[in-house]
Amino acid sequence: MPTVAVIPKPNSPVELREVPPPELEQNSALLEVEFSEVCGTDVYLHRGLLTGVPYPLVPGHVSVGRLDRIRGELLDVNGQRFREGDRITFLDVHRTCNACWYCLVAKATTRCPHRKVYGITYGLDDGLCGGWATHVYLKPGTRCIHIDSDPETFMAGGCALPTALHAIERGEIRIGDTVLILGSGPVGINAILLARMSGALRVLCIGAPQSRLDAALQAGASKVLNIETHDVEARRDWVMEQTSGRGADVTIEVTGVAEAVVQAMRFTRDAGRVVIVGQYTDHGPVEFNPHSDLNRKHLDVRGCWGSDFSHFYRGVEIVSDETRAQPWSEMSLTKFGLKDANEALSEVASGAVLKALVDPKL
Amino acid sequence: MPTVAVIPKPNSPVELREVPPPELEQNSALLEVEFSEVCGTDVYLHRGLLTGVPYPLVPGHVSVGRLDRIRGELLDVNGQRFREGDRITFLDVHRTCNACWYCLVAKATTRCPHRKVYGITYGLDDGLCGGWATHVYLKPGTRCIHIDSDPETFMAGGCALPTALHAIERGEIRIGDTVLILGSGPVGINAILLARMSGALRVLCIGAPQSRLDAALQAGASKVLNIETHDVEARRDWVMEQTSGRGADVTIEVTGVAEAVVQAMRFTRDAGRVVIVGQYTDHGPVEFNPHSDLNRKHLDVRGCWGSDFSHFYRGVEIVSDETRAQPWSEMSLTKFGLKDANEALSEVASGAVLKALVDPKL
Amino acid sequence: MPTVAVIPKPNSPVELREVPPPELEQNSALLEVEFSEVCGTDVYLHRGLLTGVPYPLVPGHVSVGRLDRIRGELLDVNGQRFREGDRITFLDVHRTCNACWYCLVAKATTRCPHRKVYGITYGLDDGLCGGWATHVYLKPGTRCIHIDSDPETFMAGGCALPTALHAIERGEIRIGDTVLILGSGPVGINAILLARMSGALRVLCIGAPQSRLDAALQAGASKVLNIETHDVEARRDWVMEQTSGRGADVTIEVTGVAEAVVQAMRFTRDAGRVVIVGQYTDHGPVEFNPHSDLNRKHLDVRGCWGSDFSHFYRGVEIVSDETRAQPWSEMSLTKFGLKDANEALSEVASGAVLKALVDPKL
Amino acid sequence: MPTVAVIPKPNSPVELREVPPPELEQNSALLEVEFSEVCGTDVYLHRGLLTGVPYPLVPGHVSVGRLDRIRGELLDVNGQRFREGDRITFLDVHRTCNACWYCLVAKATTRCPHRKVYGITYGLDDGLCGGWATHVYLKPGTRCIHIDSDPETFMAGGCALPTALHAIERGEIRIGDTVLILGSGPVGINAILLARMSGALRVLCIGAPQSRLDAALQAGASKVLNIETHDVEARRDWVMEQTSGRGADVTIEVTGVAEAVVQAMRFTRDAGRVVIVGQYTDHGPVEFNPHSDLNRKHLDVRGCWGSDFSHFYRGVEIVSDETRAQPWSEMSLTKFGLKDANEALSEVASGAVLKALVDPKL
């Protein structure tokens, strides 16, 4: 019988439960999970900080595993059929409707009001819909991708890779740009890797703690600055020193701190671009000056919400490419069994581990 | 002897002075002024609210007149020589350097640190450099354009037309969009006209007083709302009612009020675009929520500073085109003599007149 | 019993047939046709010039009518349910799959290999899938839109309006541009209207016969030129005269003649944009000079295939808007009964009528 | 006395001449040449294949050297003064006017009719205006850049690097794209390096001879194909095999062969992008099918002419960056004295050397 790790309600410990195997609808499948991610969003989910979450919840939105059973037909984007036994991953976002005004007229599918997310807005009542489990039920219409690479390399990217890909796309980095990354968590590290991959000449990173800044350097940051030892003014001075006094061409904010949004604006050069991707949950208000921070700077400030299949697909391609995968293959992963999910959450929350995975075999 | 109207220092009354005629450098000219504009920026200049202004100052950055004398060669963008007696206008922005990093690498010429603006950052010590005068000295390298249209129709656009053109360009309006204009001063009215000209299906305007909202309707706004009788919540509700509950596709803020920047974000649909052009001077800080106002909305917020020759040139083309010029030809203009400049400033400051001109012949 | 007008095979006369009413699948509907369009594509379909067409074929891809029966639920893009008796139209493109590489990664849905088009790639064997009929079967997933405007005004736009909208979108017209339209058929006339609506200052049109050029002037073209009386060199000279010797900023080719593609390149200014939308069928090869026509000109040449829901939706919005609909409401329409479909085809082929409709009530 | 290598007229051997040192105008300088490039354009210049070239001509448009004498002030883009003895390079394009319609309204400065190019459209009668010389006269307004890197590494990029940078910019490569480079000369090799630097996952190259394809692999091409042993059909099949049958996302044509332009269109996926940069001189006409090659493919085909200061500046930054410069530092350079210029031309023409430099010290 499938086993899942459940958050019964906000701030309650994760519990194991056994769940009867699902009836497969036409063109659906059952996935046997190899790994599922434990990310910062899961910490927020555990604390009840996201709206619209139907507890009890099985977390785990990015996972990899093997197709245990398929009913009907499951096709990849090239129209090739998946077979039982294939190793795959799937886009956590489901039911982007392709029928509403946001999908069809605005073409802003990450704002489709009908989208559902495995492990976040699908709860236990919706079935086996989270990756912290021995099995996930892949409902009809779930977008699957073959994983030909090493599954741990794929998981090293996790949800941070498509998130960072979307942010980088919004940043429109040009060859030779100086890119500033505010934040040094998984999205920040991936953003550094992708900024370099997009032609940034120099990538600066401001974050903490030192272990993550070391990872940032490892990922290709030219220079890093520790927020624990440098106040806002010192950070600004540092950025200006690195950029002929102008500020970064592109700044990507991935911090989870409201004040960082305004710092991002102030650390960016006039007519530059700022991407805000670190405010997925409400970190409160912040004050800025529209004249000096925005209008006079002729600045572009771009919110970046979610990611779509194209980002997920390209992420898989990157970690599957032998000339590009290396940084992810070298990332440090810490694995936890289903029964150790509470420990995983606290290790991620404290920043003690860079990337935690649930391995249902443990 | 040329006569100029001078602001001796902030908050001092404008005075008339006589100034000896300039020696003409090679490839320069002397313009005999027909009209010069009195705009909101002049009110701010009089109050000393802009930085980097070298008082004593002759205001007047957009002017029209006839070439009195030319020394050497003065060419238009098509390489045609201007002749004495020609009616022309000139771009107030001078010395965009075409040699610095902002001009050549970032291609953000409105942020060139070397640009100088007639009537704003050129003061009386720089010569006859403002339009509130019988004559303006056109330094070498000043960009001039023939005015074949009625000069009053051109002046009706004034500096608001290129400013609005730049904002509209930043807004990337698509045919069928609903555009919201926050503010109903000259830039707002021009933005309404240009939003319609860009294919907006509906243009909404929120502003005051009623006389300007009437002008907004005249300019093509579908509906208007008076801020004097509707608080922020009522304004939001009104926008949502007009937009199937989504908000405007594009919002252009031209208010001069810091709070309006945040309202612009909140009144715009997810994945829409906001252009901030009403914060040319410092109206203080404002608080917003990066999560709900920006990141989750997947919003684009774009500062818009100054305008360049292309906007000025296209503005002249519009008011010179018989199929497009009509709204400007019908705008109400109030003329003041040089000696009445103080009265002109107070009428503009109070909003009693929509558009004031200095006519040195009066 | 529903009646349809059928092209049994290429170059055979259209015949009337009676067809049993369809079983309605869940979330499908039956439309009672008021009008369906006869356009140039139908002439090509009759001549067998398109590939992938499953004869016998019921033509008619853009139609308007009333919902006769609904089974299950039919929703608009705002999630509102349609009811029986509603007047609607529907996007002829069906089954854009939202599952393939073109839909999801390239986001080029008009190149989705799974798309099917009512009246073109759905044949009679697929059911009541063409508008030249008393009834059309709206399969599940068909995208419908309420028609609140006068249905004849909507039909005046027909398929030319979304086609032209897509082309105009590709042309990225800026306020003040000079736009050249090559061709004066329905797509050309719509492109003129939309170019003006997008801020083009001057719209030039080269086409034939004179009656269509008169319609072009009526639609807002500044000047027109008749190809029957002007050879290629004369046409080029004429364009250069109108454009200070530079060529048009944007040229939109809608001719159905291969040579026009090269003329479009030559009549456009350096660093301008050319949109090719008049080559939906194979008009043979043509010769050009990559050096002088493309590389040295720094030209953008953009093919434009099909249109998507956003174009169709915005087209409906335009003809439903009282401030924008007038040009379409004044267009000349010629109506034919189902039994007169052959005559309709020959009138369209000869250019004797500007826009022909099938009215099954006649 | 300065010595120059001169092409007296097309197809005449290069000769050495002594020229009196120039009078320095205010804000000009004299450069002592260390290296100047011998590129394919020089071969065309020698054969008289470019129009508007004022023979006798001193070739050499990209050069590096030390400032021998400065009169007045020479500033870099950050406003820093150059000093005598500094090692610099300069943008070969001079007198982009910043005053004409193309510079100011279209913002297409590479099409400015007033631009002059050292070594190409400045001839010997214009002074010491080519790099195949002991000295070059840097006229006022020449844009100079410090060379802090190894001068040979800079020269390895030469004019091919900014040309390729511009082409890559036009190609709008996204992370994960498959990029096809047609041509394996210096621009092709640089385009491969930059496509990888822009995030291309796979770069394919079709060219010849084998030695250059080896260089292509060295530069990061995933796979290469030799045109000497594969006809057009085989090349197409090969591209389709590498791209799931779709074609490349982006193709950059740098061949100097007219037929390659059409192959570029055919080897690119639907809705992809093609950049044409290999047709700087007239290689004659070519035939294509507007329906199948352009319109139905929904293709973007972009001519790319010249390069501007931003490309040159970013090129210098790349070869000066220790994390990016390596491929250029490893390129094979062959040096010739001024007196061996004819030999240099014939070696470049035959493809016997990848990159030839003139070293006036030899």
Side-chain angles (χ1 to χ4, degrees):
Chain A
M1 186 128 44
T3 304
V4 299
V6 176
I7 303 176
K9 59 181 182 186
N11 298 305
S12 289
V14 181
E15 302 168 3
L16 292 194
R17 293 198 195 162
E18 295 209 324
V19 178
E23 287 283 316
L24 267 57
E25 297 162 274
Q26 183 63 12
N27 302 328
S28 74
L30 191 68
L31 182 80
E32 191 181 359
V33 176
E34 292 181 302
F35 300 112
S36 187
E37 194 183 15
V38 183
C39 82
T41 298
D42 298 312
V43 174
Y44 291 132
L45 287 166
H46 188 234
R47 293 178 185 168
L49 298 179
L50 276 73
T51 55
V53 178
Y55 298 92
L57 180 82
V58 182
H61 43 284
V62 171
S63 311
V64 66
R66 290 190 183 273
L67 288 168
D68 189 53
R69 275 192 295 141
I70 300 175
R71 178 163 173 223
E73 203 177 54
L74 203 64
L75 303 176
D76 72 10
V77 287
N78 292 317
Q80 303 298 312
R81 284 183 77 147
F82 288 99
R83 285 174 303 189
E84 294 180 355
D86 284 356
R87 175 176 283 145
I88 64 137
T89 187
F90 60 97
L91 179 66
D92 55 350
V93 177
H94 188 233
R95 297 244 182 269
T96 302
C97 74
N98 198 34
C100 74
W101 188 88
Y102 276 104
C103 282
L104 292 180
V105 181
K107 297 177 187 174
T109 60
T110 71
R111 298 305 299 146
C112 168
H114 307 104
R115 68 204 280 269
K116 288 287 192 179
V117 186
Y118 283 90
I120 299 181
T121 60
Y122 274 141
L124 183 53
D125 294 348
D126 298 302
L128 286 169
C129 290
W132 296 9
T134 56
H135 296 82
V136 173
Y137 175 48
L138 303 178
K139 296 168 181 265
T142 301
R143 309 275 170 238
C144 302
I145 306 178
H146 273 106
I147 295 293
D148 298 323
S149 67
D150 172 56
E152 300 197 18
T153 301
F154 167 73
M155 290 306 298
C159 66
L161 177 51
T163 300
L165 261 167
H166 194 184
I168 290 286
E169 183 181 289
R170 291 279 279 168
E172 292 183 82
I173 294 170
R174 295 177 54 203
I175 290 183
D177 276 349
T178 296
V179 177
L180 170 64
I181 310 292
L182 295 185
S184 54
V187 180
I189 301 297
N190 277 277
I192 292 166
L193 286 161
L194 296 174
R196 284 289 293 174
M197 203 181 283
S198 302
L201 212 54
R202 274 160 300 168
V203 180
L204 309 173
C205 179
I206 300 180
Q210 192 56 45
S211 61
R212 292 195 163 183
L213 295 177
D214 292 344
L217 287 167
Q218 183 69 18
S222 320
K223 297 209 172 159
V224 297
L225 193 80
N226 194 324
I227 55 168
E228 297 168 343
T229 50
H230 295 81
D231 65 11
V232 174
E233 201 174 342
R235 295 174 211 168
R236 188 186 177 286
D237 290 349
W238 180 79
V239 173
M240 293 304 152
E241 264 169 40
Q242 310 294 323
T243 56
S244 307
R246 288 188 295 255
D249 294 298
V250 178
T251 298
I252 297 178
E253 180 277 331
V254 293
T255 63
V257 176
E259 286 71 22
V261 170
V262 179
Q263 292 165 31
M265 296 163 75
R266 291 181 184 160
F267 296 176
T268 305
R269 70 161 168 93
D270 290 3
R273 297 173 290 292
V274 172
V275 181
I276 302 302
V277 71
Q279 310 289 322
Y280 269 40
T281 49
D282 189 346
H283 302 286
V286 70
E287 200 176 78
F288 81 115
N289 184 303
H291 167 63
S292 54
D293 294 332
L294 184 53
N295 195 348
R296 195 179 63 193
K297 285 181 79 88
H298 196 82
L299 201 65
D300 270 33
V301 183
R302 301 172 182 175
C304 183
W305 186 254
S307 49
D308 68 26
F309 183 83
S310 75
H311 308 111
F312 194 62
Y313 178 84
R314 289 175 185 266
V316 172
E317 286 205 308
I318 290 169
V319 296
S320 306
D321 185 277
E322 59 182 19
T323 68
R324 298 289 195 187
Q326 190 182 342
W328 287 273
S329 72
E330 293 172 351
M331 279 182 189
S332 155
L333 301 171
T334 312
K335 294 173 198 160
F336 298 85
L338 282 174
K339 66 182 185 312
D340 303 317
N342 289 297
E343 188 189 345
L345 280 172
S346 70
E347 297 278 293
V348 167
S350 72
V353 300
L354 186 66
K355 173 68 72 182
L357 301 185
V358 165
D359 175 351
K361 296 279 189 316
L362 293 184
Chain B
M1 190 137 28
T3 305
V4 299
V6 177
I7 302 176
K9 59 181 182 186
N11 297 305
S12 289
V14 181
E15 302 168 3
L16 292 194
R17 292 197 196 162
E18 295 208 325
V19 179
E23 287 283 316
L24 266 59
E25 297 162 273
Q26 183 63 12
N27 302 328
S28 74
L30 190 68
L31 182 79
E32 191 181 358
V33 176
E34 291 181 302
F35 300 112
S36 186
E37 195 183 14
V38 183
C39 83
T41 299
D42 299 313
V43 174
Y44 291 132
L45 287 166
H46 188 235
R47 293 178 185 167
L49 297 179
L50 275 75
T51 55
V53 178
Y55 299 91
L57 179 81
V58 181
H61 43 285
V62 171
S63 312
V64 65
R66 290 189 182 274
L67 289 168
D68 189 53
R69 274 191 296 140
I70 301 175
R71 181 169 169 217
E73 203 178 53
L74 203 64
L75 302 177
D76 72 10
V77 287
N78 292 318
Q80 302 298 311
R81 285 182 77 147
F82 288 100
R83 285 174 301 188
E84 295 180 354
D86 284 356
R87 174 176 281 145
I88 65 137
T89 185
F90 60 97
L91 180 65
D92 55 349
V93 178
H94 188 234
R95 296 244 182 269
T96 303
C97 74
N98 198 33
C100 74
W101 188 88
Y102 276 104
C103 281
L104 291 180
V105 180
K107 297 177 187 174
T109 59
T110 70
R111 299 305 301 146
C112 168
H114 306 104
R115 70 203 279 270
K116 287 286 191 179
V117 186
Y118 283 90
I120 300 181
T121 61
Y122 274 142
L124 183 54
D125 294 348
D126 298 301
L128 286 169
C129 290
W132 297 9
T134 55
H135 296 80
V136 172
Y137 175 49
L138 303 177
K139 295 168 181 266
T142 300
R143 308 278 170 236
C144 301
I145 306 178
H146 273 106
I147 294 294
D148 298 323
S149 68
D150 173 57
E152 300 196 18
T153 301
F154 166 73
M155 290 306 299
C159 65
L161 177 52
T163 300
L165 261 167
H166 194 185
I168 290 286
E169 183 181 291
R170 291 279 279 167
E172 292 183 82
I173 294 170
R174 295 178 55 204
I175 289 184
D177 276 349
T178 295
V179 176
L180 170 63
I181 310 292
L182 295 185
S184 53
V187 180
I189 300 296
N190 277 276
I192 292 167
L193 287 162
L194 296 173
R196 285 288 294 174
M197 204 181 284
S198 301
L201 212 52
R202 273 161 300 168
V203 180
L204 308 173
C205 178
I206 300 180
Q210 192 57 44
S211 61
R212 291 194 164 183
L213 295 177
D214 292 342
L217 287 167
Q218 183 70 18
S222 320
K223 295 209 174 160
V224 297
L225 194 78
N226 194 323
I227 55 169
E228 296 168 343
T229 50
H230 295 82
D231 65 11
V232 173
E233 199 172 343
R235 295 173 212 170
R236 188 188 178 285
D237 290 348
W238 179 78
V239 172
M240 294 303 153
E241 264 168 42
Q242 311 294 324
T243 57
S244 308
R246 289 188 295 256
D249 295 296
V250 177
T251 298
I252 297 179
E253 181 278 329
V254 292
T255 63
V257 176
E259 288 71 23
V261 170
V262 180
Q263 293 166 30
M265 296 163 76
R266 291 182 184 160
F267 296 176
T268 305
R269 69 160 169 92
D270 289 4
R273 298 175 289 292
V274 172
V275 180
I276 302 303
V277 71
Q279 311 288 322
Y280 269 40
T281 49
D282 188 345
H283 302 285
V286 70
E287 201 177 77
F288 81 116
N289 185 302
H291 168 63
S292 53
D293 294 331
L294 184 53
N295 195 347
R296 195 180 62 192
K297 284 182 81 87
H298 196 81
L299 201 64
D300 271 35
V301 183
R302 302 172 180 175
C304 184
W305 186 255
S307 49
D308 67 26
F309 183 82
S310 75
H311 307 111
F312 194 62
Y313 179 84
R314 289 176 185 266
V316 172
E317 285 204 309
I318 289 169
V319 295
S320 306
D321 185 277
E322 59 182 19
T323 68
R324 298 290 195 187
Q326 190 182 342
W328 287 273
S329 73
E330 293 173 351
M331 280 183 188
S332 156
L333 302 172
T334 311
K335 294 172 197 163
F336 297 84
L338 283 174
K339 65 182 185 311
D340 303 318
N342 290 298
E343 188 190 343
L345 281 171
S346 70
E347 297 277 293
V348 167
S350 71
V353 300
L354 186 66
K355 173 67 72 181
L357 302 185
V358 165
D359 176 350
K361 295 279 190 315
L362 293 181
Chain C
M1 185 125 48
T3 304
V4 298
V6 177
I7 302 175
K9 59 182 182 185
N11 297 305
S12 289
V14 181
E15 301 168 4
L16 292 195
R17 291 196 198 164
E18 295 207 326
V19 178
E23 287 283 317
L24 267 58
E25 297 162 272
Q26 183 62 13
N27 302 328
S28 73
L30 190 67
L31 182 79
E32 191 181 359
V33 177
E34 292 181 302
F35 300 111
S36 186
E37 194 183 14
V38 183
C39 82
T41 298
D42 299 312
V43 174
Y44 291 132
L45 287 166
H46 187 235
R47 293 179 184 167
L49 297 178
L50 276 73
T51 55
V53 178
Y55 299 91
L57 179 82
V58 181
H61 43 285
V62 171
S63 312
V64 65
R66 289 190 182 273
L67 288 168
D68 189 53
R69 274 191 296 139
I70 301 176
R71 182 170 170 217
E73 203 177 53
L74 202 65
L75 303 176
D76 72 10
V77 286
N78 292 317
Q80 302 298 311
R81 285 183 77 147
F82 289 100
R83 286 174 302 188
E84 295 179 355
D86 284 356
R87 175 176 282 145
I88 65 137
T89 186
F90 60 98
L91 180 65
D92 55 350
V93 177
H94 188 233
R95 296 245 183 268
T96 302
C97 73
N98 199 32
C100 74
W101 189 87
Y102 276 105
C103 282
L104 291 180
V105 181
K107 298 178 187 173
T109 59
T110 71
R111 297 307 299 147
C112 168
H114 306 105
R115 70 204 278 270
K116 288 285 190 180
V117 186
Y118 283 89
I120 300 181
T121 61
Y122 274 142
L124 183 54
D125 294 347
D126 298 301
L128 285 169
C129 290
W132 297 9
T134 55
H135 296 81
V136 172
Y137 175 49
L138 304 178
K139 297 168 181 265
T142 300
R143 308 278 171 234
C144 302
I145 306 178
H146 273 106
I147 295 293
D148 298 322
S149 67
D150 173 57
E152 300 196 20
T153 301
F154 166 73
M155 289 306 299
C159 64
L161 177 52
T163 301
L165 261 167
H166 195 184
I168 289 286
E169 183 180 291
R170 291 279 278 167
E172 293 183 82
I173 294 170
R174 295 176 56 203
I175 290 184
D177 276 349
T178 296
V179 176
L180 170 64
I181 310 292
L182 295 186
S184 53
V187 180
I189 300 296
N190 277 276
I192 292 167
L193 287 162
L194 297 173
R196 284 288 295 174
M197 203 182 283
S198 302
L201 212 53
R202 274 161 299 168
V203 181
L204 309 173
C205 179
I206 301 180
Q210 192 56 44
S211 61
R212 291 194 164 183
L213 295 177
D214 292 343
L217 287 167
Q218 183 70 19
S222 319
K223 296 208 174 161
V224 297
L225 193 78
N226 195 323
I227 55 168
E228 296 169 343
T229 50
H230 296 81
D231 64 12
V232 173
E233 199 173 343
R235 294 173 212 169
R236 189 188 177 286
D237 290 348
W238 180 78
V239 172
M240 294 304 153
E241 264 169 42
Q242 311 294 324
T243 57
S244 308
R246 290 188 294 255
D249 295 296
V250 178
T251 298
I252 298 178
E253 181 279 328
V254 292
T255 64
V257 176
E259 287 72 22
V261 170
V262 180
Q263 292 165 30
M265 296 163 76
R266 292 181 183 161
F267 297 176
T268 304
R269 69 161 169 91
D270 290 4
R273 298 174 290 291
V274 173
V275 180
I276 302 302
V277 71
Q279 311 289 322
Y280 269 40
T281 49
D282 189 346
H283 301 286
V286 69
E287 201 177 77
F288 81 115
N289 185 302
H291 167 63
S292 53
D293 293 331
L294 183 54
N295 196 345
R296 195 180 61 192
K297 284 181 80 88
H298 196 81
L299 202 64
D300 271 34
V301 183
R302 303 172 181 175
C304 183
W305 186 254
S307 49
D308 67 26
F309 183 82
S310 75
H311 307 111
F312 194 62
Y313 178 83
R314 289 175 185 266
V316 172
E317 286 205 309
I318 289 169
V319 296
S320 306
D321 184 278
E322 59 182 20
T323 68
R324 298 289 196 187
Q326 191 182 342
W328 287 273
S329 72
E330 293 172 350
M331 279 182 189
S332 156
L333 302 171
T334 311
K335 294 172 197 162
F336 297 85
L338 283 173
K339 65 184 185 311
D340 303 318
N342 290 298
E343 187 190 344
L345 282 171
S346 69
E347 297 277 293
V348 167
S350 72
V353 301
L354 186 66
K355 173 68 73 181
L357 302 185
V358 165
D359 175 350
K361 295 279 192 314
L362 292 182
Chain D
M1 185 127 46
T3 305
V4 298
V6 177
I7 303 176
K9 58 181 183 184
N11 297 305
S12 289
V14 181
E15 303 168 1
L16 291 193
R17 292 196 196 163
E18 296 208 324
V19 178
E23 286 284 315
L24 266 59
E25 296 162 274
Q26 182 63 11
N27 302 328
S28 74
L30 190 68
L31 182 80
E32 191 180 359
V33 176
E34 291 181 303
F35 299 111
S36 186
E37 194 182 15
V38 183
C39 82
T41 298
D42 299 313
V43 174
Y44 291 131
L45 287 167
H46 188 235
R47 293 178 184 167
L49 296 179
L50 275 75
T51 54
V53 178
Y55 299 92
L57 180 82
V58 182
H61 43 283
V62 171
S63 312
V64 66
R66 290 189 183 273
L67 288 168
D68 189 54
R69 273 191 296 139
I70 300 175
R71 179 166 173 221
E73 204 178 53
L74 203 65
L75 303 176
D76 72 9
V77 287
N78 293 317
Q80 302 298 312
R81 284 182 78 147
F82 288 100
R83 285 173 304 187
E84 294 180 356
D86 284 356
R87 174 176 283 144
I88 65 138
T89 185
F90 59 97
L91 179 66
D92 55 350
V93 177
H94 187 234
R95 298 245 181 267
T96 302
C97 74
N98 198 33
C100 74
W101 188 88
Y102 276 104
C103 281
L104 291 180
V105 181
K107 297 176 187 174
T109 60
T110 71
R111 298 306 298 147
C112 167
H114 306 104
R115 69 204 279 271
K116 288 286 189 179
V117 187
Y118 283 89
I120 300 181
T121 59
Y122 274 141
L124 184 53
D125 294 348
D126 298 302
L128 286 169
C129 290
W132 296 9
T134 56
H135 297 81
V136 172
Y137 174 49
L138 303 178
K139 296 167 182 263
T142 301
R143 309 277 170 236
C144 301
I145 306 178
H146 273 107
I147 294 294
D148 298 323
S149 67
D150 173 58
E152 300 196 18
T153 301
F154 167 74
M155 289 306 298
C159 65
L161 177 51
T163 301
L165 260 167
H166 194 184
I168 290 287
E169 182 181 290
R170 290 279 279 168
E172 291 182 82
I173 295 170
R174 294 178 53 203
I175 290 184
D177 276 348
T178 296
V179 176
L180 170 63
I181 311 291
L182 295 186
S184 55
V187 180
I189 300 298
N190 278 276
I192 292 166
L193 287 161
L194 297 174
R196 285 289 292 174
M197 202 181 283
S198 303
L201 213 53
R202 274 159 301 168
V203 180
L204 309 173
C205 179
I206 301 180
Q210 193 56 46
S211 61
R212 291 195 163 184
L213 294 177
D214 292 343
L217 287 166
Q218 183 70 18
S222 320
K223 297 210 172 160
V224 297
L225 194 78
N226 194 324
I227 55 168
E228 297 168 344
T229 50
H230 295 81
D231 65 11
V232 173
E233 201 173 343
R235 294 173 212 169
R236 188 187 177 286
D237 290 349
W238 179 79
V239 172
M240 294 303 152
E241 264 168 41
Q242 310 294 324
T243 57
S244 307
R246 288 188 295 256
D249 295 298
V250 178
T251 298
I252 298 178
E253 180 278 331
V254 293
T255 64
V257 176
E259 286 72 23
V261 171
V262 179
Q263 292 166 30
M265 295 163 76
R266 292 183 184 158
F267 296 176
T268 305
R269 70 160 167 92
D270 289 2
R273 297 174 289 293
V274 172
V275 181
I276 302 303
V277 71
Q279 310 289 322
Y280 269 40
T281 48
D282 189 346
H283 301 285
V286 70
E287 200 176 78
F288 81 115
N289 185 303
H291 168 62
S292 54
D293 293 332
L294 184 54
N295 195 349
R296 195 179 63 193
K297 284 181 80 86
H298 196 81
L299 201 64
D300 271 33
V301 183
R302 301 171 182 177
C304 182
W305 186 255
S307 49
D308 66 28
F309 183 83
S310 75
H311 307 111
F312 194 62
Y313 178 84
R314 289 175 185 267
V316 172
E317 285 205 309
I318 290 169
V319 296
S320 305
D321 184 277
E322 59 182 20
T323 68
R324 299 289 196 187
Q326 191 182 342
W328 287 274
S329 73
E330 292 172 352
M331 279 183 190
S332 156
L333 302 171
T334 312
K335 294 172 198 161
F336 298 84
L338 283 174
K339 65 182 186 312
D340 303 317
N342 289 298
E343 188 190 344
L345 281 172
S346 69
E347 297 277 293
V348 168
S350 72
V353 300
L354 186 66
K355 173 68 72 180
L357 301 185
V358 165
D359 176 350
K361 296 280 191 313
L362 293 183

